[in-house]
Amino acid sequence: MPNAPESRRRITLNDDGPWLVEGPVEVTGADGTTVASDRFTVAICTCRRSHTYPWCDTSHR
């Protein structure tokens, strides 16, 4: 995904919850695997409890 100004994404950080990212997005994990979402907004898990990691499934609640 190029980092040109026209491809900027807004990321909203939450203290006790997921990061909200305006999509579409592509996420590359530490192990090199890549997952993509075409949704308008995606929630990125920050607690690592999600069963659908890196996407948040509200397991943190």
Side-chain angles (χ1 to χ4, degrees), residues 8-25:
R8 288 185 183 167
R9 301 290 179 230
R10 179 176 305 215
I11 300 173
T12 304
L13 307 179
N14 296 300
D15 289 336
D16 296 324
W19 291 5
L20 301 178
V21 183
E22 291 182 1
V25 298

Side-chain angles (χ1 to χ4, degrees), residues 27-35 48 53-54:
V27 176
T28 302
D31 63 356
T33 60
T34 301
V35 292
R48 294 190 166 259
Y53 189 80

